[in-house]
Amino acid sequence: MARCEGKMDPTRRDVMALAGGLAGAQVVPGLAWAGAPGHRLTAAPAEVQLAPGDYPKTRVWAYDGRVPGSVLRRRQGETFEARLVNGLDQPTTVHWHGLRLPNAMDGVPGMTQAAVRPGESFDYRFVLRDAGTFWYHPHANSLEQISRGLAGVLVVDEAEPPEVDAEEILVLDDWRLTEDAQLHPEFGNRHDMSHAGRLGNYITVNGAGELRRSYPRGTRLRVRLVNAATARIFRLVFRGMDAWVVALDAMPLEAPERIEQVEIGPAQRVDLIVNVSAGTGEEAIIGSVERDGTYATVSVSVAGQEQAMRAAPHALPPNDLPTLALKDARQVPLVMEGGAMRGLPERVRWQGSKREARALYEAGQFWAFNGQAGMDGAPLIEAGMGETVRVPMENRTAFSHAMHLHGQHFREVLPEGRLGPWRDTLVVHPDETREIAFVAENPGDWMFHCHMAAHQMSGMMNWIRIT
Ligand code: C2O
Ligand code: CU
């Protein structure tokens, strides 16, 4: 991709040129499907062709030997079952990101389950309450495990899915590769932790530098975008496509929203309905806007029998979400501090006592929520079942943060008391205050953290308790 910080040579343009030159010789890795109930999900080392074909294969950690891992697909209302088998040489878990599931199935080691040791397994089993686009990833040693390739998509189908001609599940990722296309072996260096996280130098979609497709003009697509990167916020533009957002973080919008571009932060999902509107012979593109230009992540050559262009899509059937009681809601402010340029306040709580900021930096802790780095005995928020809680999140740092709450979705409280769409992850940019509100509807201890994994491991990780 773009000439970012890294040393790896193939720029996005090279990748595109190469892919063109090979003229289909290098088959774009499709997404493998795993439909059977009781899926055996193996986390283990693997080798995949991530970089262009003249580079060596990349040694990754993968689910079922694939990057991204198998697409797991079920229907809403079904019981999901999967057995995680740990083929790594370190403990792991699976977190089912964005699912409203019983606490014991949430995959947080030391909080909702014991970490699964090498050679051992763990059975996950829960009812799929919500339809939508979800993803799964480890919640142990997250920065390294996710960065090395452990991520996959879980699709939960509506009883009556909208009519489309084809579906594209697009997993965006960002890799920091060495010159021989191997993962840069340093995880969590101080610079990444205290700045924007582990940004990479090679962007992939479904494990490939660029996806190429061919559809006739007028084709209607359902596109499920997932950002599996640990740090990069993608800004996507659509050329030769009419695109409507129909769901965010799995939850349908009340009315589809026509867009020209969209921001998708780490862990977020965006579901779109798209009409291919470019003329026959032209190219339609989903482009990623980088500092030095816009790069095609998906290019569609428009060819074949044209179809009549279809009207704007209807809303997807809603999931059963609670009603927020904003007026009587308790407010629990969250202040984010730390990181390069601004730094932590002079004294910060960490591991049970107040310490000088300098001592925290030495210990690799750079961020704090409400003057507290990492987790401690007490939760950030305690809420009773059914209670509505408002959390204004004030970002006093110089970096963006992708704030994720486990176990329940939230809505943003907008001016004049309007409410934003339901989400499970919200990007808060520097100097912004964004207020969210959620109904405590799922009992248990739930993580509340920045999904930029380098930030998560260096202070931006906390939790809430619902009783
Ligand atoms: Cu996607 Cu705490 O996780
Ligand atoms: Cu962050």
Side-chain angles (χ1 to χ4, degrees):
M1 71 117 228
R3 303 127 230 275
C4 289
E5 299 75 1
K7 278 194 235 93
M8 194 195 174
D9 253 325
T11 61
R12 166 70 50 171
R13 280 184 190 99
D14 297 334
V15 172
M16 288 173 74
L18 192 74
L22 287 173
Q26 192 192 352
V27 177
V28 167
L31 288 162
W33 294 78
H39 183 76
R40 196 184 151 93
L41 186 69
T42 305
E47 285 197 355
V48 296
Q49 191 68 47
L50 209 58
D54 51 350
Y55 280 85
K57 288 190 172 180
T58 304
R59 291 185 297 277
V60 296
W61 295 351
Y63 290 119
D64 298 339
R66 303 181 188 102
V67 165
S70 310
V71 174
L72 305 176
R73 188 156 203 157
R74 302 285 186 278
R75 260 183 198 286
Q76 187 172 17
E78 284 180 2
T79 298
F80 175 88
E81 286 180 58
R83 167 166 296 179
L84 166 68
V85 179
N86 186 2
L88 305 171
D89 63 3
Q90 59 178 259
T92 191
T93 60
V94 178
H95 170 58
W96 309 94
H97 183 113
L99 280 110
R100 296 189 294 157
L101 40 61
N103 193 247
M105 296 289 108
D106 200 41
V108 180
M111 180 171 267
T112 69
Q113 69 169 95
V116 183
R117 285 180 300 200
E120 296 190 344
S121 67
F122 186 88
D123 292 332
Y124 292 95
R125 188 170 196 275
F126 45 86
V127 173
L128 298 164
R129 289 170 68 184
D130 299 315
T133 305
F134 302 93
W135 70 297
Y136 58 94
H137 62 78
H139 220 291
N141 189 17
S142 299
L143 178 64
E144 180 171 7
Q145 292 193 12
I146 300 173
S147 297
R148 285 193 186 273
L150 288 166
V153 176
L154 169 59
V155 173
V156 183
D157 282 303
E158 305 87 2
E160 283 179 47
E163 239 178 78
V164 293
D165 299 316
E167 182 187 67
E168 295 284 358
I169 299 171
L170 303 175
V171 181
L172 303 163
D173 210 341
D174 179 30
W175 307 79
R176 185 178 295 176
L177 298 182
T178 59
E179 278 154 82
D180 57 349
Q182 299 310 308
L183 277 148
H184 193 286
E186 197 184 11
F187 294 91
N189 68 52
R190 299 171 65 79
H191 186 275
D192 292 344
M193 288 194 284
S194 58
H195 291 72
R198 193 178 201 264
L199 291 168
N201 54 2
Y202 186 60
I203 287 174
T204 57
V205 183
N206 298 351
E210 185 190 9
L211 278 195
R212 300 178 151 257
R213 294 287 191 262
S214 180
Y215 289 116
R217 173 179 158 82
T219 300
R220 172 159 279 195
L221 301 171
R222 178 166 190 172
V223 178
R224 299 174 185 269
L225 295 165
V226 179
N227 183 354
T230 60
R232 185 173 297 277
I233 299 169
F234 288 92
R235 290 185 183 81
L236 302 175
V237 291
F238 302 87
R239 306 253 165 84
M241 299 180 184
D242 296 342
W244 290 265
V245 177
V246 290
L248 292 169
D249 297 347
M251 298 307 177
L253 302 191
E254 278 156 25
E257 190 190 333
R258 178 84 163 84
I259 51 146
E260 308 285 337
Q261 56 175 62
V262 72
E263 174 187 276
I264 177 166
Q268 291 185 319
R269 285 89 63 217
V270 177
D271 280 37
L272 304 163
I273 298 280
V274 166
N275 287 346
V276 176
S277 57
T280 300
E282 291 175 4
E283 206 177 36
I285 275 173
I286 301 179
S288 175
V289 181
E290 307 295 338
R291 271 177 303 192
D292 60 343
T294 299
Y295 296 91
T297 54
V298 180
S299 10
V300 177
S301 65
V302 181
Q305 184 62 51
E306 289 189 15
Q307 302 195 30
M309 205 62 68
R310 270 166 284 186
H314 297 294
L316 297 173
N319 289 319
D320 185 19
L321 288 151
T323 305
L324 294 159
L326 273 195
K327 265 208 238 99
D328 317 307
R330 192 155 50 93
Q331 227 181 18
V332 185
L334 174 75
V335 177
M336 310 177 207
E337 290 172 296
M341 267 97 90
R342 310 241 172 124
L344 286 168
E346 233 162 84
R347 292 176 68 72
V348 177
R349 274 194 321 281
W350 184 55
Q351 297 190 335
S353 56
K354 280 227 170 201
R355 315 194 189 211
E356 306 270 324
R358 199 169 340 109
L360 268 87
Y361 301 148
E362 270 159 30
Q365 296 293 303
F366 297 98
W367 310 90
F369 291 153
N370 294 351
Q372 156 90 41
M375 321 189 11
D376 237 331
L380 203 58
I381 301 168
E382 274 191 83
M385 277 291 283
E387 192 188 351
T388 299
V389 184
R390 300 171 64 147
V391 187
M393 303 188 291
E394 182 186 349
N395 184 357
R396 293 191 191 158
T397 80
F399 296 88
S400 299
H401 303 290
M403 291 299 297
H404 171 47
L405 177 63
H406 286 209
Q408 28 262 301
H409 276 58
F410 54 75
R411 302 181 77 167
E412 187 171 355
V413 182
L414 300 165
E416 287 123 42
R418 285 176 303 118
L419 291 169
W422 288 97
R423 300 214 71 141
D424 60 47
T425 306
L426 185 73
V427 177
V428 188
H429 293 297
D431 300 316
E432 278 184 354
T433 298
R434 308 277 294 272
E435 182 172 17
I436 58 169
F438 66 92
V439 178
E441 53 155 349
N442 206 350
D445 293 344
W446 303 100
M447 300 286 295
F448 185 29
H449 64 91
C450 175
H451 219 288
M452 288 154 170
H455 295 170
Q456 180 186 349
M457 71 186 280
S458 59
M460 288 197 146
M461 172 152 78
N462 217 305
W463 60 292
I464 73 166
R465 170 167 285 166
I466 296 174
T467 49

